[in-house]
Amino acid sequence: MELLREMVITDGKVYDNNVLKVDSFLNHQIDAGLMMKMAESFYEYFKKDKITKILTIEASGIAPAIMVANLFKVPMVFAKKSKPSTLKNNDVYTAEVHSYTKNITNTIVVSEKFINKDDKVLIVDDFLANGQATLGLMEIVKQAGAETVGVGILVEKSFQDGRKLLDERNVNVCSLCRIASLENNEVKFNISDDEK
């Protein structure tokens, strides 16, 4: 997606050759117009798939996921990074997710009443790097007996293992912006815009 790529170049900041900071438009301050255009891209890509739920993880995935859910006219569910006292242990699906950027592991939770065996789930998140958040969300879908029909990613760091892990599981992934390298603190995109 050309607009997202332009914003990554003009407003993104690279640190330590592997961290891309996009907090001025994606995950702290949010450009709503850009978010809607990205949601429309996901809708066009996945509209044939009879989606019944959009699933993400708090907090950065919520903004794109809610916009996508609005277009599909289905609920958006987000996994919480800690279990609220209002949920009982046997009323939730859980998965362990390690955050590369924060270097912590969270047990994410989703209430059993929000995903069931009849759901066809589209996972939406802001970044795909090592793939742990997406794999954790897929584990929750699996525990529910539902089906992950695809994954929509705003920014993919193709030089890390996440995409490979999803490809090994035959997951249909649509990444709007694929980054081949952040070496020398410079963003280099994958050569082909047609890569999904």
Side-chain angles (χ1 to χ4, degrees):
M1 177 179 192
E2 192 58 35
L3 178 58
L4 177 55
R5 288 164 59 118
E6 287 171 13
M7 292 189 82
V8 165
I9 291 294
T10 59
D11 299 328
K13 306 281 185 242
V14 181
Y15 298 97
D16 301 326
N17 295 319
N18 66 357
V19 175
L20 175 63
K21 190 172 182 181
V22 290
D23 63 346
S24 67
F25 59 97
L26 279 190
N27 57 18
H28 192 60
Q29 173 174 272
I30 295 170
D31 184 313
L34 172 65
M35 204 61 69
M36 182 50 75
K37 287 186 184 333
M38 292 186 293
E40 289 166 354
S41 293
F42 289 140
Y43 179 77
E44 285 303 311
Y45 187 86
F46 290 108
K47 67 182 177 184
K48 66 185 181 313
D49 289 317
K50 306 215 180 339
I51 307 291
T52 63
K53 295 273 170 67
I54 306 299
L55 178 63
T56 193
I57 190 168
E58 66 177 352
S60 299
I62 292 175
I66 194 69
M67 299 246 188
V68 174
N70 182 54
L71 293 175
F72 276 98
K73 309 237 178 299
V74 300
M76 184 273 287
V77 178
F78 68 89
K80 296 177 179 277
K81 290 184 179 173
S82 61
K83 186 171 74 63
S85 60
T86 55
L87 288 175
K88 305 280 188 259
N89 280 339
N90 57 350
D91 295 339
V92 297
Y93 305 117
T94 65
E96 297 294 310
V97 172
H98 182 76
S99 169
Y100 173 80
T101 52
K102 295 182 177 127
N103 196 28
I104 57 170
T105 299
N106 293 301
T107 300
I108 62 170
V109 299
V110 171
S111 172
E112 288 182 350
K113 62 185 174 181
F114 297 132
I115 302 178
N116 63 62
K117 64 181 178 53
D118 298 320
D119 281 319
K120 294 185 175 297
V121 180
L122 173 60
I123 293 171
V124 174
D125 207 1
D126 61 339
F127 270 89
L128 175 62
N130 290 316
Q132 298 309 297
T134 302
L135 292 175
L137 292 170
M138 288 174 62
E139 172 60 24
I140 283 175
V141 173
K142 180 179 174 185
Q143 289 175 30
E147 177 189 355
T148 298
V149 297
V151 175
I153 299 294
L154 305 184
V155 178
E156 174 187 321
K157 291 160 79 178
S158 300
F159 57 91
Q160 291 182 271
D161 290 336
R163 181 57 172 254
K164 179 177 179 262
L165 292 172
L166 297 182
D167 286 346
E168 287 171 355
R169 289 161 176 79
N170 295 315
V171 179
N172 183 11
V173 180
C174 175
S175 295
L176 300 181
C177 176
R178 295 186 72 189
I179 296 174
S181 168
L182 295 174
E183 287 180 19
N184 302 316
N185 292 338
E186 180 185 346
V187 176
K188 290 198 168 81
F189 296 106
N190 287 34
I191 294 170
S192 172
D193 283 337
D194 296 330
E195 291 183 90
K196 293 289 183 196

